[in-house]
Amino acid sequence: MVTSLDIFSGFSVDDIPAAKAFYGDTLGLNITDGPMGNLDLALPSGGHVFIYPKPDHTPASFTILNLVVPDIDAAVDDLNAKGVKTDIYDDPNLPTDAKGVLRGKEVDRGPNIAWFRDPAGNVVSVIED
Protein backbone atom coordinates (compact mmCIF):
# COMPACT_ATOMS: atom_id res chain seq x y z
CA MET A 1 0.00 0.00 0.00
CA VAL A 2 1.17 3.53 -0.77
CA THR A 3 1.77 5.64 2.32
CA SER A 4 0.67 9.21 1.56
CA LEU A 5 1.79 12.21 3.53
CA ASP A 6 -0.82 14.41 1.87
CA ILE A 7 -3.20 14.32 -1.09
CA PHE A 8 -4.17 17.17 -3.37
CA SER A 9 -5.74 17.64 -6.75
CA GLY A 10 -4.83 19.95 -9.57
CA PHE A 11 -5.95 21.32 -12.89
CA SER A 12 -4.54 23.53 -15.62
CA VAL A 13 -5.49 26.96 -16.89
CA ASP A 14 -4.16 29.07 -19.73
CA ASP A 15 -4.05 32.38 -17.83
CA ILE A 16 -2.94 32.47 -14.18
CA PRO A 17 -3.93 36.12 -13.50
CA ALA A 18 -7.43 35.50 -14.93
CA ALA A 19 -7.77 32.32 -12.84
CA LYS A 20 -6.62 34.13 -9.71
CA ALA A 21 -9.17 36.91 -10.26
CA PHE A 22 -11.97 34.44 -11.00
CA TYR A 23 -11.39 32.04 -8.12
CA GLY A 24 -10.37 34.75 -5.65
CA ASP A 25 -12.46 37.80 -6.52
CA THR A 26 -15.47 36.39 -8.38
CA LEU A 27 -15.95 33.21 -6.31
CA GLY A 28 -14.44 34.57 -3.09
CA LEU A 29 -12.21 31.55 -2.51
CA ASN A 30 -8.90 31.56 -0.65
CA ILE A 31 -6.30 31.58 -3.42
CA THR A 32 -2.63 32.47 -3.18
CA ASP A 33 0.37 32.56 -5.48
CA GLY A 34 2.45 29.39 -5.48
CA PRO A 35 6.22 29.09 -5.77
CA MET A 36 6.34 27.99 -9.42
CA GLY A 37 4.00 30.46 -11.13
CA ASN A 38 1.05 28.37 -10.00
CA LEU A 39 -1.86 29.11 -7.68
CA ASP A 40 -2.83 27.39 -4.44
CA LEU A 41 -6.55 27.12 -3.79
CA ALA A 42 -7.21 26.42 -0.10
CA LEU A 43 -10.40 24.42 0.44
CA PRO A 44 -12.67 25.07 3.43
CA SER A 45 -12.09 21.49 4.63
CA GLY A 46 -8.33 22.03 4.79
CA GLY A 47 -7.29 20.50 1.48
CA HIS A 48 -5.60 22.30 -1.38
CA VAL A 49 -5.90 22.38 -5.16
CA PHE A 50 -2.86 23.04 -7.35
CA ILE A 51 -3.75 25.33 -10.30
CA TYR A 52 -0.96 25.45 -12.84
CA PRO A 53 -0.33 27.29 -16.10
CA LYS A 54 -0.32 25.27 -19.29
CA PRO A 55 0.18 27.13 -22.59
CA ASP A 56 -1.54 24.40 -24.62
CA HIS A 57 -4.36 24.03 -22.06
CA THR A 58 -7.49 22.21 -23.13
CA PRO A 59 -10.52 22.69 -20.86
CA ALA A 60 -11.46 19.65 -18.80
CA SER A 61 -14.44 17.73 -20.18
CA PHE A 62 -15.74 17.11 -16.65
CA THR A 63 -16.53 19.14 -13.55
CA ILE A 64 -13.24 20.03 -11.86
CA LEU A 65 -14.70 21.59 -8.70
CA ASN A 66 -18.04 21.33 -6.93
CA LEU A 67 -18.78 24.22 -4.57
CA VAL A 68 -21.31 23.10 -1.96
CA VAL A 69 -23.76 25.89 -1.13
CA PRO A 70 -26.73 26.13 1.24
CA ASP A 71 -29.04 27.79 -1.32
CA ILE A 72 -28.64 27.05 -5.03
CA ASP A 73 -30.84 29.97 -6.13
CA ALA A 74 -28.93 32.53 -4.05
CA ALA A 75 -25.61 31.16 -5.34
CA VAL A 76 -26.75 31.26 -8.98
CA ASP A 77 -28.18 34.76 -8.56
CA ASP A 78 -24.86 35.91 -7.10
CA LEU A 79 -22.85 34.29 -9.90
CA ASN A 80 -25.11 35.75 -12.59
CA ALA A 81 -24.85 39.22 -10.99
CA LYS A 82 -21.06 38.89 -11.30
CA GLY A 83 -21.37 38.06 -15.00
CA VAL A 84 -20.93 34.29 -14.65
CA LYS A 85 -23.18 32.36 -17.05
CA THR A 86 -24.74 29.32 -15.38
CA ASP A 87 -27.00 28.23 -18.22
CA ILE A 88 -24.30 26.34 -20.17
CA TYR A 89 -26.03 23.09 -21.10
CA ASP A 90 -28.76 22.50 -23.65
CA ASP A 91 -29.05 18.76 -23.18
CA PRO A 92 -32.25 16.77 -22.57
CA ASN A 93 -30.24 14.47 -20.27
CA LEU A 94 -29.43 17.51 -18.10
CA PRO A 95 -32.77 19.34 -18.01
CA THR A 96 -31.89 22.71 -16.52
CA ASP A 97 -34.29 25.57 -15.90
CA ALA A 98 -33.91 29.15 -17.14
CA LYS A 99 -31.27 29.82 -14.46
CA GLY A 100 -29.25 26.82 -15.55
CA VAL A 101 -30.16 24.76 -12.47
CA LEU A 102 -30.79 21.04 -12.70
CA ARG A 103 -33.46 20.58 -10.03
CA GLY A 104 -32.50 17.02 -9.18
CA LYS A 105 -34.05 16.96 -5.71
CA GLU A 106 -37.50 17.72 -7.08
CA VAL A 107 -37.48 14.80 -9.52
CA ASP A 108 -35.38 12.35 -7.50
CA ARG A 109 -32.37 12.71 -9.85
CA GLY A 110 -29.73 13.76 -7.38
CA PRO A 111 -28.89 17.19 -6.03
CA ASN A 112 -29.79 20.63 -7.27
CA ILE A 113 -26.76 21.73 -9.27
CA ALA A 114 -25.72 24.44 -11.72
CA TRP A 115 -22.61 24.42 -13.86
CA PHE A 116 -20.49 27.28 -15.17
CA ARG A 117 -17.06 27.75 -16.72
CA ASP A 118 -13.92 29.38 -15.38
CA PRO A 119 -11.94 31.75 -17.66
CA ALA A 120 -9.95 28.76 -19.01
CA GLY A 121 -13.16 26.92 -19.99
CA ASN A 122 -13.03 24.35 -17.16
CA VAL A 123 -16.41 23.33 -15.76
CA VAL A 124 -17.21 24.23 -12.13
CA SER A 125 -20.48 23.75 -10.28
CA VAL A 126 -22.46 24.99 -7.35
CA ILE A 127 -24.30 22.14 -5.72
CA GLU A 128 -26.92 22.52 -3.01
CA ASP A 129 -26.26 20.83 0.31
Side-chain angles (χ1 to χ4, degrees):
M1 179 174 210
V2 174
T3 302
S4 300
L5 298 177
D6 195 6
I7 297 174
F8 65 93
S9 182
F11 60 88
S12 69
V13 297
D14 55 1
D15 184 333
I16 286 290
K20 184 175 184 181
F22 181 77
Y23 287 101
D25 299 335
T26 303
L27 298 184
L29 302 176
N30 184 0
I31 192 153
T32 57
D33 294 316
M36 301 175 290
N38 63 290
L39 297 172
D40 178 71
L41 173 60
L43 303 176
S45 62
H48 292 264
V49 177
F50 180 74
I51 302 174
Y52 57 95
K54 187 175 179 200
D56 62 344
H57 166 77
T58 301
S61 61
F62 52 87
T63 305
I64 59 164
L65 287 175
N66 295 288
L67 309 177
V68 180
V69 297
D71 181 333
I72 193 81
D73 289 297
V76 167
D77 289 345
D78 184 51
L79 288 167
N80 292 166
K82 293 177 179 176
V84 177
K85 183 178 184 319
T86 52
D87 186 16
I88 66 170
Y89 291 120
D90 183 19
D91 181 340
N93 294 317
L94 298 169
T96 57
D97 62 16
K99 283 184 161 185
V101 177
L102 171 63
R103 307 266 175 199
K105 285 184 179 178
E106 286 79 358
V107 293
D108 207 22
R109 284 191 67 187
N112 293 339
I113 185 170
W115 295 272
F116 53 97
R117 296 187 186 278
D118 74 2
N122 295 312
V123 178
V124 181
S125 83
V126 285
I127 186 168
E128 192 170 68
D129 184 26

Coordinates of all heavy atoms in Angstrom, one line a residue, residues 27-75:
L27 N -15.4 34.3 -7.2 CA -15.9 33.2 -6.3 C -15.7 33.4 -4.8 O -16.3 32.7 -4.0 CB -15.4 31.8 -6.8 CG -15.8 31.4 -8.2 CD1 -15.3 30.0 -8.5 CD2 -17.3 31.5 -8.5
G28 N -14.7 34.3 -4.5 CA -14.4 34.6 -3.1 C -13.7 33.4 -2.4 O -13.8 33.3 -1.1
L29 N -12.9 32.7 -3.1 CA -12.2 31.6 -2.5 C -10.8 32.0 -2.1 O -10.3 33.0 -2.5 CB -12.1 30.4 -3.5 CG -13.5 29.8 -4.0 CD1 -13.2 28.8 -5.0 CD2 -14.3 29.3 -2.9
N30 N -10.2 31.3 -1.2 CA -8.9 31.6 -0.6 C -7.8 31.1 -1.6 O -7.6 29.9 -1.7 CB -8.7 30.9 0.7 CG -7.4 31.3 1.4 OD1 -6.6 32.0 0.8 ND2 -7.2 30.7 2.6
I31 N -7.3 32.0 -2.4 CA -6.3 31.6 -3.4 C -5.0 32.4 -3.3 O -5.1 33.6 -3.0 CB -6.9 31.7 -4.8 CG1 -6.0 31.0 -5.9 CG2 -7.2 33.1 -5.2 CD1 -6.7 30.5 -7.1
T32 N -3.9 31.8 -3.3 CA -2.6 32.5 -3.2 C -1.7 32.0 -4.3 O -1.8 31.0 -4.9 CB -2.0 32.2 -1.8 OG1 -1.8 30.7 -1.7 CG2 -2.8 32.7 -0.7
D33 N -0.7 32.9 -4.5 CA 0.4 32.6 -5.5 C 1.2 31.4 -4.9 O 1.6 31.4 -3.8 CB 1.3 33.8 -5.7 CG 0.5 34.9 -6.4 OD1 -0.3 34.6 -7.3 OD2 0.7 36.1 -6.0
G34 N 1.6 30.5 -5.8 CA 2.5 29.4 -5.5 C 3.9 29.7 -5.9 O 4.1 30.7 -6.5
P35 N 4.8 28.8 -5.5 CA 6.2 29.1 -5.8 C 6.7 28.9 -7.2 O 7.8 29.3 -7.5 CB 6.9 28.1 -4.9 CG 5.9 26.9 -4.8 CD 4.6 27.6 -4.8
M36 N 5.9 28.3 -8.1 CA 6.3 28.0 -9.4 C 5.5 28.6 -10.5 O 5.2 28.1 -11.5 CB 6.4 26.5 -9.6 CG 7.3 25.7 -8.6 SD 7.2 24.0 -8.8 CE 5.5 23.6 -8.2
G37 N 4.9 29.8 -10.2 CA 4.0 30.5 -11.1 C 2.6 29.9 -11.1 O 1.8 30.1 -12.0
N38 N 2.3 29.0 -10.1 CA 1.0 28.4 -10.0 C 0.2 29.1 -9.0 O 0.6 30.1 -8.4 CB 1.2 26.9 -9.6 CG 1.9 26.8 -8.2 OD1 3.1 27.1 -8.0 ND2 1.1 26.4 -7.2
L39 N -1.0 28.6 -8.7 CA -1.9 29.1 -7.7 C -2.2 28.0 -6.7 O -2.2 26.8 -7.1 CB -3.2 29.6 -8.3 CG -3.1 30.8 -9.2 CD1 -4.4 31.1 -9.9 CD2 -2.6 32.0 -8.5
D40 N -2.4 28.3 -5.5 CA -2.8 27.4 -4.4 C -4.2 27.8 -4.0 O -4.4 28.9 -3.5 CB -1.9 27.4 -3.2 CG -2.3 26.4 -2.2 OD1 -2.2 25.2 -2.4 OD2 -2.8 26.9 -1.1
L41 N -5.2 26.9 -4.2 CA -6.6 27.1 -3.8 C -6.8 26.3 -2.5 O -6.7 25.1 -2.5 CB -7.5 26.7 -4.9 CG -9.0 26.7 -4.6 CD1 -9.5 28.1 -4.2 CD2 -9.8 26.1 -5.8
A42 N -7.0 27.1 -1.4 CA -7.2 26.4 -0.1 C -8.7 26.1 0.0 O -9.5 27.0 -0.1 CB -6.8 27.3 1.0
L43 N -9.0 24.9 0.3 CA -10.4 24.4 0.4 C -10.9 24.6 1.9 O -10.1 24.5 2.8 CB -10.5 23.0 0.0 CG -10.1 22.6 -1.4 CD1 -10.2 21.1 -1.7 CD2 -10.9 23.4 -2.4
P44 N -12.2 24.9 2.1 CA -12.7 25.1 3.4 C -12.4 23.9 4.4 O -12.3 24.1 5.6 CB -14.2 25.3 3.2 CG -14.3 25.7 1.8 CD -13.2 25.1 1.1
S45 N -12.3 22.7 3.8 CA -12.1 21.5 4.6 C -10.6 21.3 5.0 O -10.3 20.4 5.7 CB -12.6 20.3 3.9 OG -11.9 20.1 2.7
G46 N -9.7 22.1 4.5 CA -8.3 22.0 4.8 C -7.5 21.5 3.7 O -6.2 21.6 3.7
G47 N -8.1 21.0 2.6 CA -7.3 20.5 1.5 C -6.9 21.6 0.6 O -7.2 22.8 0.8
H48 N -6.1 21.3 -0.4 CA -5.6 22.3 -1.4 C -5.7 21.8 -2.8 O -5.6 20.6 -3.0 CB -4.1 22.6 -1.1 CG -3.9 23.3 0.2 ND1 -3.8 24.7 0.3 CD2 -3.9 22.9 1.5 CE1 -3.7 25.1 1.5 NE2 -3.7 24.0 2.3
V49 N -5.9 22.7 -3.7 CA -5.9 22.4 -5.2 C -4.8 23.2 -5.8 O -4.6 24.4 -5.6 CB -7.3 22.7 -5.8 CG1 -7.2 22.5 -7.3 CG2 -8.4 22.0 -5.1
F50 N -4.0 22.5 -6.6 CA -2.9 23.0 -7.4 C -3.4 23.5 -8.7 O -3.8 22.7 -9.5 CB -1.8 21.9 -7.5 CG -0.6 22.3 -8.2 CD1 0.4 23.1 -7.6 CD2 -0.3 21.8 -9.5 CE1 1.6 23.5 -8.3 CE2 0.9 22.2 -10.2 CZ 1.8 23.0 -9.6
I51 N -3.3 24.8 -9.0 CA -3.8 25.3 -10.3 C -2.5 25.8 -11.0 O -1.7 26.6 -10.5 CB -4.7 26.5 -10.1 CG1 -6.0 26.1 -9.3 CG2 -5.1 27.1 -11.5 CD1 -6.9 27.2 -9.0
Y52 N -2.2 25.2 -12.2 CA -1.0 25.4 -12.8 C -1.2 25.9 -14.3 O -2.2 25.6 -14.9 CB -0.1 24.2 -12.8 CG -0.7 23.0 -13.5 CD1 -0.5 22.7 -14.8 CD2 -1.6 22.2 -12.8 CE1 -1.1 21.6 -15.4 CE2 -2.2 21.1 -13.4 CZ -1.9 20.8 -14.7 OH -2.5 19.7 -15.3
P53 N -0.2 26.8 -14.7 CA -0.3 27.3 -16.1 C 0.1 26.2 -17.1 O 1.0 25.5 -16.9 CB 0.7 28.5 -16.1 CG 1.7 28.1 -15.1 CD 1.0 27.3 -14.0
K54 N -0.6 26.2 -18.2 CA -0.3 25.3 -19.3 C -0.6 26.0 -20.6 O -1.8 26.2 -20.9 CB -1.1 24.0 -19.1 CG -0.8 22.9 -20.1 CD -1.5 21.6 -19.9 CE -1.1 20.6 -20.9 NZ -2.1 19.5 -21.0
P55 N 0.4 26.4 -21.4 CA 0.2 27.1 -22.6 C -0.7 26.4 -23.6 O -1.5 27.1 -24.3 CB 1.6 27.3 -23.2 CG 2.5 27.1 -22.0 CD 1.8 26.1 -21.1
D56 N -0.7 25.1 -23.7 CA -1.5 24.4 -24.6 C -2.7 23.8 -23.9 O -3.3 22.7 -24.3 CB -0.8 23.3 -25.4 CG -0.2 22.3 -24.5 OD1 -0.1 22.5 -23.2 OD2 0.2 21.2 -25.0
H57 N -3.2 24.5 -22.9 CA -4.4 24.0 -22.1 C -5.6 23.7 -22.9 O -5.9 24.4 -23.8 CB -4.7 25.1 -21.1 CG -6.1 24.9 -20.4 ND1 -6.3 24.0 -19.4 CD2 -7.3 25.5 -20.7 CE1 -7.5 24.1 -19.0 NE2 -8.2 25.0 -19.8
T58 N -6.2 22.6 -22.6 CA -7.5 22.2 -23.1 C -8.4 22.1 -22.0 O -8.1 21.4 -21.0 CB -7.4 20.9 -23.9 OG1 -6.5 20.9 -24.9 CG2 -8.8 20.5 -24.4
P59 N -9.6 22.8 -22.0 CA -10.5 22.7 -20.9 C -10.9 21.3 -20.5 O -11.1 20.4 -21.4 CB -11.7 23.5 -21.3 CG -11.2 24.4 -22.4 CD -10.1 23.6 -23.1
A60 N -11.0 21.0 -19.2 CA -11.5 19.7 -18.8 C -12.9 19.4 -19.3 O -13.7 20.3 -19.4 CB -11.4 19.6 -17.3
S61 N -13.1 18.1 -19.7 CA -14.4 17.7 -20.2 C -15.3 17.2 -19.1 O -16.4 16.6 -19.3 CB -14.3 16.6 -21.2 OG -13.7 15.5 -20.7
F62 N -15.0 17.5 -17.8 CA -15.7 17.1 -16.7 C -15.7 18.2 -15.6 O -14.9 19.2 -15.8 CB -15.1 15.8 -16.1 CG -13.6 16.0 -15.8 CD1 -13.2 16.5 -14.6 CD2 -12.7 15.6 -16.8 CE1 -11.8 16.7 -14.4 CE2 -11.4 15.8 -16.6 CZ -10.9 16.3 -15.4
T63 N -16.5 18.1 -14.6 CA -16.5 19.1 -13.6 C -15.3 19.0 -12.7 O -15.0 18.0 -12.1 CB -17.8 19.0 -12.7 OG1 -18.9 19.0 -13.5 CG2 -17.9 20.1 -11.7
I64 N -14.5 20.1 -12.6 CA -13.2 20.0 -11.9 C -13.4 20.4 -10.4 O -12.6 19.9 -9.6 CB -12.2 20.9 -12.5 CG1 -12.6 22.4 -12.5 CG2 -11.8 20.4 -13.9 CD1 -11.5 23.4 -12.8
L65 N -14.4 21.2 -10.1 CA -14.7 21.6 -8.7 C -16.2 21.7 -8.5 O -16.9 22.2 -9.4 CB -14.1 23.0 -8.4 CG -12.6 23.1 -8.2 CD1 -12.3 24.6 -8.0 CD2 -12.1 22.3 -7.0
N66 N -16.7 21.2 -7.3 CA -18.0 21.3 -6.9 C -18.1 22.2 -5.7 O -17.5 21.8 -4.6 CB -18.7 20.0 -6.6 CG -18.7 19.1 -7.9 OD1 -19.6 19.3 -8.7 ND2 -17.9 18.1 -8.0
L67 N -18.7 23.3 -5.7 CA -18.8 24.2 -4.6 C -20.1 24.0 -3.9 O -21.2 24.2 -4.5 CB -18.7 25.7 -5.0 CG -17.5 26.0 -5.9 CD1 -17.6 27.5 -6.3 CD2 -16.2 25.7 -5.2
V68 N -20.1 23.4 -2.7 CA -21.3 23.1 -2.0 C -21.8 24.4 -1.3 O -21.1 25.1 -0.6 CB -21.0 22.0 -0.9 CG1 -22.3 21.7 -0.1 CG2 -20.4 20.8 -1.5
V69 N -23.1 24.7 -1.6 CA -23.8 25.9 -1.1 C -25.1 25.5 -0.4 O -25.7 24.5 -0.7 CB -24.0 26.9 -2.3 CG1 -22.7 27.3 -3.0 CG2 -25.0 26.2 -3.3
P70 N -25.5 26.4 0.5 CA -26.7 26.1 1.2 C -28.0 26.4 0.4 O -29.0 25.8 0.7 CB -26.7 27.0 2.5 CG -25.8 28.1 2.1 CD -24.8 27.6 1.1
D71 N -27.9 27.3 -0.5 CA -29.0 27.8 -1.3 C -28.6 28.0 -2.8 O -27.9 28.9 -3.1 CB -29.6 29.1 -0.7 CG -30.8 29.6 -1.4 OD1 -31.0 29.4 -2.6 OD2 -31.5 30.4 -0.8
I72 N -29.0 27.0 -3.6 CA -28.6 27.1 -5.0 C -29.1 28.3 -5.7 O -28.4 28.9 -6.5 CB -29.1 25.8 -5.8 CG1 -28.4 25.6 -7.1 CG2 -30.6 25.8 -5.9 CD1 -27.1 25.1 -7.1
D73 N -30.3 28.8 -5.4 CA -30.8 30.0 -6.1 C -30.1 31.2 -5.8 O -29.7 32.0 -6.6 CB -32.3 30.1 -5.8 CG -33.2 29.1 -6.5 OD1 -33.1 29.0 -7.8 OD2 -33.8 28.2 -5.9
A74 N -29.7 31.4 -4.5 CA -28.9 32.5 -4.0 C -27.5 32.5 -4.7 O -27.0 33.5 -5.1 CB -28.8 32.6 -2.5
A75 N -26.9 31.3 -4.7 CA -25.6 31.2 -5.3 C -25.6 31.5 -6.8 O -24.8 32.2 -7.3 CB -25.1 29.7 -5.1

